[in-house]
Amino acid sequence: MGVLSNRIEKDQLKPGDHIYSWRLSYLYAHHGIYVGEGKVIHFTRGGGHEIGTGTVLDRIIFSCAPSPPVGTQCEICGDQSRLDGVISSCIDCFLSGGNLYLFEYGVSPAFYLAKPRGGTCTIATSDPPEDVLHRAFSLLQNGFGGYNLFKNNCEDFAVYCKTGLLVETTISVGRSGQAAAFLAATSAVMSSPLRFLTTSSSGLAAVSYGVYCVNRLVSDIGVRRDVVKLPVERLVDQYDLDDPQAAEDSPTPSCIAAAKND
């Protein structure tokens, strides 16, 4: 564990750990909560539930679906490739042939910025394992709203389980460090007025990286001020199971509004 890699072995896992595994040649990581006895609870959008863009976004979403190593059939999970929502899988199906990594909580701002990729750590602190497991099992039974690549994805689910934090605004990304890093990189390259302060390639790179770091930092769930801690019971109570649109929306806005009014 360190700045360069968060890779761990299976025998090092503890119930309540937030774990992840890289997909699509390190383009995207799939996240979940290890709950013990070789099982992982995670949020997925499997085959047949893609957004239908015909782009790499569909490949990223489908990569979240659990699958056993190539050429094998899992006797524990069966075929979960078309399941949608919060599910429980064995650790091997969750990894889908990839390596195992541990998401870190309570890191310093300097350590956070030293990580070149988003979605590997946060400045926010984790709650005790019993709270993490309670949230994970509750959401396994009741769901976590509709999957959204930028506002309500597998990392958002795992971060909520670990911290109980939800974003109260609807105009920004969710809790996902991966989504925040992507948007920070886009902002650094395309929209920073500071790029006009230098004409050299090295100067432009330095300015762009500085903007990228600042945007990543202010988007971290441990730094943001547009978050609120919401008990999982309150989150579950706000789901309107009779509303067809509930399956498409993130759970955040209505739940937080209700929580703030109580």
Side-chain angles (χ1 to χ4, degrees):
M1 296 286 292
V3 173
L4 297 180
S5 176
N6 290 6
R7 185 172 175 180
I8 61 170
E9 300 300 326
K10 294 178 186 176
D11 59 7
Q12 297 177 276
L13 286 173
K14 300 183 294 295
D17 279 348
H18 174 173
I19 59 177
Y20 63 96
S21 182
W22 291 104
R23 303 282 203 269
L24 300 177
S25 300
Y26 291 87
L27 177 64
Y28 183 78
H30 185 49
H31 295 247
I33 299 295
Y34 180 71
V35 297
E37 299 183 350
K39 290 297 189 70
V40 182
I41 294 178
H42 54 123
F43 187 40
T44 182
R45 193 168 192 176
H49 299 281
E50 298 91 346
I51 57 179
T53 65
T55 69
V56 70
L57 295 181
D58 279 346
R59 293 185 60 199
I60 289 174
I61 290 175
F62 182 73
S63 74
C64 296
S67 63
V70 176
T72 65
Q73 175 68 42
C74 181
E75 297 180 354
I76 300 174
C77 303
D79 182 11
Q80 294 186 320
S81 64
R82 302 185 72 83
L83 293 184
D84 187 43
V86 181
I87 65 174
S88 175
S89 305
C90 72
I91 185 70
D92 290 329
C93 286
F94 171 82
L95 294 175
S96 295
N99 294 319
L100 175 64
Y101 298 85
L102 180 67
F103 193 99
E104 295 185 82
Y105 285 81
V107 304
S108 68
F111 185 93
Y112 178 82
L113 291 177
K115 286 283 192 179
R117 293 288 299 269
T120 60
C121 63
T122 178
I123 296 170
T125 57
S126 171
D127 289 333
E130 55 269 24
D131 293 342
V132 177
L133 295 173
H134 174 62
R135 293 183 190 119
F137 280 108
S138 294
L139 296 177
L140 176 63
Q141 295 297 319
N142 297 281
F144 192 61
Y147 191 100
N148 183 294
L149 190 60
F150 292 103
K151 294 187 179 230
N152 202 50
N153 59 36
C154 57
E155 186 184 346
D156 292 306
F157 166 80
V159 169
Y160 173 73
C161 288
K162 290 287 284 186
T163 66
L165 297 175
L166 288 175
V167 177
E168 61 179 321
T169 60
T170 60
I171 59 174
S172 61
V173 295
R175 300 156 297 283
S176 170
Q178 294 182 96
F182 174 80
L183 294 180
T186 302
S187 175
V189 173
M190 302 297 294
S191 62
S192 173
L194 297 178
R195 68 184 184 275
F196 297 113
L197 298 179
T198 178
T199 57
S200 68
S201 57
S202 59
L204 179 60
V207 169
S208 297
Y209 186 69
V211 172
Y212 169 73
C213 289
V214 170
N215 286 338
R216 268 194 65 209
L217 182 62
V218 299
S219 297
D220 181 67
I221 191 70
V223 175
R224 295 172 65 159
R225 293 295 176 263
D226 59 342
V227 297
V228 64
K229 199 168 187 97
L230 191 68
V232 69
E233 291 80 9
R234 187 73 57 78
L235 180 63
V236 169
D237 286 344
Q238 295 306 311
Y239 291 138
D240 183 358
L241 299 182
D242 294 326
D243 181 4
Q245 189 62 30
E248 299 298 329
D249 294 336
S250 163
T252 303
S254 61
C255 298
I256 289 184
K260 294 180 75 173
N261 290 331
D262 288 345

